[in-house]
Amino acid sequence: MAERANGPAGPLDGLPAQVVQFIRPGQVRLGALPPLALYIHLPWCLKKCPYCDFNSHELKPGSAADSAAQQDRYVDAVIADLEASLPLVWGRRVISVFIGGGTPSLFSPEAIDRLLAAVRARLPLEAGCEVTLEANPGTFERERFKAFRAAGVNRLSVGVQSFDDAALQRIGRVHDGAQARAALAEAAEAFDTFNLDLMYALPGQDLAALARDLDTALAFKPPHLSIYHLTVEPNTVFANRPPVLPDDDLASDMLDLITERTAGVGLQRYEVSAFAQAGHRCVHNLNYWQFGDYLGLGAGAHGKLSFPERIVRQVRWREPAAYMAKALAGQAVSNEHEVGPADLPFEFMLNALRLREGFSLARFTERTGQPARRIEAAVAQALAQGLLEQQGEVLRPSDRGFDFLSDLQQLFLADAR
Ligand SMILES: C[S@@+](CC[C@H](N)C(=O)[O-])C[C@H]1O[C@@H](n2cnc3c(N)ncnc32)[C@H](O)[C@@H]1O
Ligand code: SF4
């Protein structure tokens, strides 16, 4: 799609059309490109959980996905997807890799090894690059863990959700509390750093049950803990057959208990749902919240890429079979659009306001290409409502702003219109 039909050679001649369309003049001016992360989606699970709206697909025994050959084919597709994407990220170093799902620990260590070797051969990774793999209890054992480590995974994210067998059954998990404890013991032994995922406000859960889950979780001294309020998402089994959930008052008491207990063991709540010991914040997620760039490979993966004069969002084909066929044919991307200047303040705030430390006005301008005056009115309103606090040119959500985060974020939506 070169813009010039004839005439002398121009600076864009010889570049792939896919690149030319992104580096032509646009509506946004970025002084520098942000850090770049890599997300790789592996879309299969043993069983679909009734609350889950992620792009995850049940692995039926004997089905396409349930064989080494199919894992190989999927890895081939991701590598083809990466190859096709390289011109969009030429010359940029990758600060983190996150292999998420679905249940990536269902893939063999050999498949993960081949995947990471292919990434390293094609993209320069920063020294000490964080490489996370999501793992579900019950889908791996000690030797497999060590092999993931040898393949280059240096951080494990273990999806525990709860240690309570009855609660786990009510939310349709395939593992029990004993398997969760075994997985964490292995993770702590095999990896220098790991994350533990919990959910709270589960069906039938009371404060005492949550306290037991927290006690068990904290006994493993997790360097990083993510705790999500269970949400009933549209188009899930729970949306059709809603379980009885704790009411808002109880859920709010639960959050108080979580913040109190985590602070008591030195875990800092640096994001709405994320708690970390010093030096163990998640580089990958922090980059999302700081409105950094990420290349998203794999079925249904989302990406955000900046160019000197535009910011582009991409989505890959969602169904694993369609994704594999398309990616192997060099067409993994199903949808791609530019984020217009009017939408950038709100998109930035959706992420940055999740962080306890907030953001600086310089960072806002650097990442969105928009002058600080674009958000002046909304900032003034948020300060007046006590939802934001300002220190010099740093803005951060107040305690109240953290509690009413979507109200705070909405102010920036109104400002953009
Ligand atoms: C996409 S899952 C992948 C991890 C892994 N498959 C698992 O389920 O353990 C990432 C995390 O999102 C959280 N999550 C998924 N669905 C959720 C929901 N409806 N409400 C709250 N948290 C949810 C869970 O804590 C889960 O560990
Ligand atoms: S295991 Fe994780 S990704 Fe898979 S269905 Fe359950 S919540 Fe979703």
Side-chain angles (χ1 to χ4, degrees), residues 2-4 7-16 19-20 23-25:
E3 293 178 277
R4 193 179 44 80
L12 304 184
D13 285 350
L15 289 173
V19 178
V20 171
I23 62 172
R24 69 189 198 283

Side-chain angles (χ1 to χ4, degrees), residues 174-397:
V174 293
H175 70 266
D176 60 20
Q179 284 172 313
R181 287 190 290 273
L184 287 168
E186 300 292 347
E189 200 197 301
F191 292 86
D192 296 341
T193 193
F194 66 95
N195 168 56
L196 194 172
D197 268 358
L198 278 185
M199 293 194 298
Y200 74 100
L202 302 177
Q205 192 176 44
D206 58 17
L207 264 185
L210 174 64
R212 285 194 297 277
D213 267 354
L214 284 172
D215 282 346
T216 312
L218 297 179
F220 287 96
K221 300 194 170 25
H224 192 285
L225 184 63
S226 301
I227 311 188
Y228 306 101
H229 184 300
L230 175 72
T231 47
V232 174
E233 304 288 349
N235 303 317
T236 59
V237 172
F238 273 5
N240 291 332
R241 275 183 277 123
V244 179
L245 295 172
D247 62 25
D248 288 350
D249 284 346
L250 178 52
S252 161
D253 290 347
M254 287 178 164
L255 184 56
D256 288 345
L257 184 70
I258 291 165
T259 42
E260 189 188 304
R261 291 275 172 104
T262 47
V265 296
L267 281 163
Q268 195 204 8
R269 187 182 183 199
Y270 70 103
E271 187 265 353
V272 177
S273 311
F275 303 76
Q277 296 287 355
H280 291 275
R281 290 178 179 201
C282 177
V283 173
H284 189 82
N285 287 340
L286 207 49
N287 185 55
Y288 292 142
W289 298 320
Q290 293 175 339
F291 213 50
D293 275 4
Y294 49 101
L295 176 62
L297 306 177
H302 290 243
K304 165 187 172 275
L305 295 173
S306 301
F307 299 87
E309 299 197 21
R310 59 183 34 74
I311 294 173
V312 174
R313 290 203 179 274
Q314 295 186 319
V315 189
R316 264 69 180 160
W317 293 94
R318 190 177 162 86
E319 287 299 317
Y323 168 77
M324 284 191 278
K326 292 281 193 181
L328 288 166
Q331 288 160 355
V333 177
S334 63
N335 190 285
E336 195 165 68
H337 72 274
E338 266 180 65
V339 188
D343 295 325
L344 281 167
F346 181 60
E347 290 217 3
F348 179 90
M349 296 304 165
L350 274 183
N351 291 285
L353 293 172
R354 296 184 63 91
L355 287 173
R356 185 91 263 193
E357 68 188 18
F359 64 93
S360 67
L361 291 170
R363 162 81 46 83
F364 169 78
T365 296
E366 179 193 308
R367 298 285 153 94
T368 63
Q370 305 301 300
R373 70 181 137 71
R374 284 288 317 280
I375 52 169
E376 248 168 29
V379 166
Q381 202 178 343
L383 289 169
Q385 291 179 8
L387 296 170
L388 262 189
E389 290 168 357
Q390 182 159 21
Q391 206 171 23
E393 72 142 29
V394 172
L395 291 157
R396 67 172 72 86

Side-chain angles (χ1 to χ4, degrees), residues 25 35 56 71 93 97 129 147 180 205 246 248 253 296 321 388 394 409:
S56 57
Q71 290 189 10
R93 301 183 83 80
V97 179
C129 178
Q205 192 176 44
D248 288 350
D253 290 347
L388 262 189
V394 172
Q409 289 162 331

Side-chain angles (χ1 to χ4, degrees), residues 44-45 47-49 51-52 54 56 101-103 136 161 173:
W44 289 289
C45 294
K47 183 172 161 278
K48 183 81 182 174
C49 302
Y51 56 85
C52 177
F54 285 80
S56 57
T103 305
N136 285 32
Q161 320 312 345
R173 297 291 291 188

Side-chain angles (χ1 to χ4, degrees), residues 62 108 154 156 275 293 344 371 405:
S108 69
N154 54 28
L156 208 73
F275 303 76
D293 275 4
L344 281 167
L405 188 58

